[in-house]
Amino acid sequence: MTTTTAENSLWLEALPRRRYPAVAGEETFDVAVVGGGIAGITTALLLKATGLRVAVVEAGRVGTGVSGNNTAKVSALQSTVYSKIIDKHGADAAADYAAASLAGVAQVGVLAEGIDCDLRRDPAYTYAYTEQEVAAVEAEAEAARQAGLPVHLDRGELMGVPFPVHAAVRLDDQIAFHPVKYVHGLAARVDGEGSRVFEDSRVTDFDDGEPCRVHTPTGTITADRVVIATHYPLLDRGGFFARLETTRSYCVAARLRGQRPPRGLAISAGSPSWSLSAWRDLLIVCGQSHKTGSDEGTPYQELERFARQHWDVEAITHRWSAQDVNAYDQLPMVGSYLPGSRRLFTATGFMKWGLSGSTFAAMMLADLVTDRDNPWAERFSPHRVSLRSLGSAAKMNVEVAADMVGDRLKPADTRSVEEVPRGEARVVRVGTDKVGVYRDEADGLHAVSVRCTHLGCIVRFNSAERSWDCPCHGSRFDVDGGVLEGPATEPLPRHEV
């Protein structure tokens, strides 16, 4: 039997037929939530439960961003996160992050009741794939215990993988589910009784007046308060671009021959990391992270090679990728969008663990928007200052400056469109301009400006995903210039060649 690999997330095949309308004209609500992923939809649902009228405004379809392109792990044990947090912030910060993450996992379990989203309870593991990773696993076990997690250190006997595990730290009773079914189940609860969900409504601007106004090409939402839940904060007036870094990670799903995939939620402690999970009879292998806009190599081939090395793979059925946002000091940012603002709020920087992180962020945002105290508000404030991490922030911004200046000085790849091979892209000198040209398999040309519409950095072609990616702040565009990832809100201008 021949199986064609789907070039999209396994989870996106479950998109329902139901569509929500676009914003039309001007409507007024108590709160506008920008972003229809798990962070935005969960925030909207929790706010609606307090009696507020809430509007969710999504650029595309609900759940088709990062929420529909992930590993589907909802876990408070997250690779070697606790070791990093203790190193930068101390044990109290790790304890706060652990408590928040456990609360996020528990909240998902509560909200998923009544939603057909294939939820199951499984242990989560951080494991040593090589002997060199044992020390990191043992350190993470101790850090997790200091943070208050009831973890166990063993050799991964329960993981059920066909290769040696040299050490593993385990946290029981975590969650795996179908994220798209889940988020659409939540969205259905938001829409109605004075609250609305809007799709195909890309926000182009917003303000924090009295009231706030959220602008889209087809209409405007007026609200007392606004939550920006777009993964990377939209428009970036809060200076987030100087404190956030984006990375891309990749996944493949494999059908095995005569074998059951492992049921735990596992990730190795080394680099590259190998993340393992399963859905029904499919093995899911993820990893091969790299900074957005950097040389991505051959991530899908490496993941497939790993799967075939250890399992009898009948076919690779799906492959997909996701973008992650990391703060300079390794903690999420949840709170006011601008310092001191009581009208604009945001959540970002989930460090690759957005299913639990975005859920506890939604719990925090619901408290902050309604002027209730939250125990983690100060810890995760977007405007905190971490003296230990200032060097990391400086390094990030030096790299951005180098990318911004260096790429402008680079010569074009070629002066001739004819030299662009099928299925590939080149930066072509056209007169005094540099133009990004992609030639598809049917010999069609797709030409766009290579200047990112966010802050003007030069985008680079990602051959694994056939996209133009910005190395400075992670904006991504398709071969015709359409926005795939923010913070950019405007497409790349198209060119005739």
Side-chain angles (χ1 to χ4, degrees):
M1 180 178 65
T2 301
T3 300
T4 301
T5 302
E7 300 289 337
N8 60 267
S9 164
L10 165 68
W11 320 119
L12 292 180
E13 292 186 349
L15 275 176
R17 289 187 176 183
R18 177 181 181 181
R19 300 295 297 263
Y20 296 99
V23 175
E26 184 165 327
E27 296 195 51
T28 300
F29 297 86
D30 297 316
V31 183
V33 178
V34 182
I38 288 178
I41 294 291
T42 307
T43 300
L45 183 60
L46 296 178
L47 288 171
K48 180 181 178 180
T50 69
L52 297 175
R53 296 174 63 250
V54 186
V56 176
V57 187
E58 163 58 34
R61 291 199 65 186
V62 166
T64 56
V66 178
S67 295
N69 292 274
N70 54 55
T71 62
K73 299 177 182 178
V74 191
S75 173
L77 180 65
Q78 305 168 358
S79 184
T80 56
V81 161
Y82 294 99
S83 300
K84 295 173 184 175
I85 293 176
I86 288 177
D87 179 62
K88 289 185 177 293
H89 302 279
D92 288 346
D96 285 344
Y97 184 75
S101 296
L102 287 171
V105 174
Q107 182 70 281
V108 168
V110 171
L111 294 179
E113 292 180 6
I115 298 176
D116 179 15
C117 60
D118 303 319
L119 186 144
R120 71 177 192 272
R121 297 281 181 170
D122 270 332
Y125 299 91
T126 298
Y127 69 97
Y129 181 60
T130 66
E131 291 184 357
Q132 290 72 28
E133 296 170 15
V134 170
V137 169
E138 292 175 343
E140 185 63 12
E142 178 57 30
R145 290 192 185 106
Q146 288 187 52
L149 294 182
V151 297
H152 307 271
L153 183 64
D154 53 39
R155 295 183 65 85
E157 291 88 353
L158 302 179
M159 286 177 58
V161 294
F163 53 80
V165 172
H166 301 276
V169 52
R170 183 182 88 246
L171 179 64
D172 293 327
D173 202 31
Q174 303 306 285
I175 287 175
F177 67 169
H178 194 299
V180 170
K181 291 181 179 180
Y182 173 75
V183 72
H184 274 272
L186 299 185
R189 295 175 182 172
V190 171
D191 196 64
E193 301 171 321
S195 293
R196 298 287 304 277
V197 175
F198 297 101
E199 293 183 323
D200 301 315
S201 301
R202 182 173 296 280
V203 171
T204 56
D205 199 5
F206 61 86
D207 61 64
D208 59 346
E210 296 186 24
C212 303
R213 296 173 68 84
V214 176
H215 302 279
T216 77
T218 56
T220 300
I221 299 293
T222 300
D224 292 330
R225 297 186 176 187
V226 174
V227 174
I228 306 299
T230 54
H231 197 47
Y232 195 114
L234 191 69
L235 303 186
D236 211 0
R237 292 170 184 158
F240 292 94
F241 66 86
R243 296 172 288 140
L244 296 174
E245 183 176 64
T246 58
T247 59
R248 296 203 63 73
S249 300
Y250 300 81
C251 295
V252 298
R255 181 184 299 115
L256 306 181
R257 188 179 286 107
Q259 297 171 276
R260 295 285 298 174
R263 307 309 297 181
L265 316 175
I267 184 169
S268 64
S271 181
S273 64
W274 303 104
S275 172
L276 306 174
S277 58
W279 182 70
R280 296 183 179 174
D281 63 340
L282 295 178
L283 167 72
I284 299 173
V285 182
C286 302
Q288 298 297 301
S289 298
H290 64 84
K291 182 177 178 291
T292 304
S294 67
D295 181 12
E296 77 283 354
T298 56
Y300 292 123
Q301 290 88 331
E302 289 302 310
L303 294 172
E304 180 176 347
R305 180 195 61 76
F306 179 89
R308 292 187 182 280
Q309 177 184 352
H310 297 297
W311 286 272
D312 186 4
V313 173
E314 180 180 311
I316 300 296
T317 60
H318 301 77
R319 60 186 193 180
W320 67 94
S321 63
Q323 186 136 301
D324 298 295
V325 181
N326 303 304
Y328 76 104
D329 63 350
Q330 297 295 310
L331 286 177
M333 294 181 172
V334 186
S336 59
Y337 181 91
L338 299 171
S341 174
R342 300 306 305 159
R343 291 184 173 274
L344 297 179
F345 302 86
T346 194
T348 188
F350 300 130
M351 306 185 297
K352 302 186 180 183
W353 297 93
L355 296 178
S356 54
S358 63
T359 303
F360 79 66
M363 299 164 67
M364 291 181 62
L365 290 169
D367 285 343
L368 296 172
V369 168
T370 54
D371 297 316
R372 295 178 297 192
D373 291 334
N374 184 279
W376 310 308
E378 183 176 353
R379 177 71 67 194
F380 301 130
S381 167
H383 309 293
R384 64 184 181 263
V385 176
S386 171
L387 296 179
R388 287 189 186 180
S389 303
L390 290 179
S392 298
K395 180 176 181 290
M396 284 166 48
N397 285 282
V398 167
E399 291 174 352
V400 167
D403 288 333
M404 185 175 289
V405 175
D407 283 359
R408 286 179 174 163
L409 298 177
K410 285 182 181 178
D413 298 325
T414 178
R415 287 183 174 272
S416 172
V417 173
E418 300 302 323
E419 295 181 11
V420 181
R422 289 183 180 181
E424 297 183 25
R426 299 287 187 272
V427 176
V428 180
R429 173 70 67 181
V430 179
T432 59
D433 294 332
K434 292 179 182 177
V435 178
V437 179
Y438 170 74
R439 186 186 297 274
D440 62 35
E441 298 295 346
D443 222 28
L445 295 175
H446 308 257
V448 296
S449 168
V450 292
R451 189 181 295 272
C452 179
T453 56
H454 175 225
L455 290 179
C457 289
I458 304 302
V459 297
R460 302 171 183 171
F461 194 70
N462 180 337
S463 58
E465 303 178 84
R466 294 189 294 277
S467 62
W468 292 100
D469 299 355
C470 178
C472 293
H473 306 112
S475 296
R476 299 180 58 246
F477 308 85
D478 64 27
V479 294
D480 291 314
V483 177
L484 296 174
E485 302 265 0
T489 61
E490 298 293 329
L492 298 175
R494 298 179 67 174
H495 282 260
E496 294 295 330
V497 294

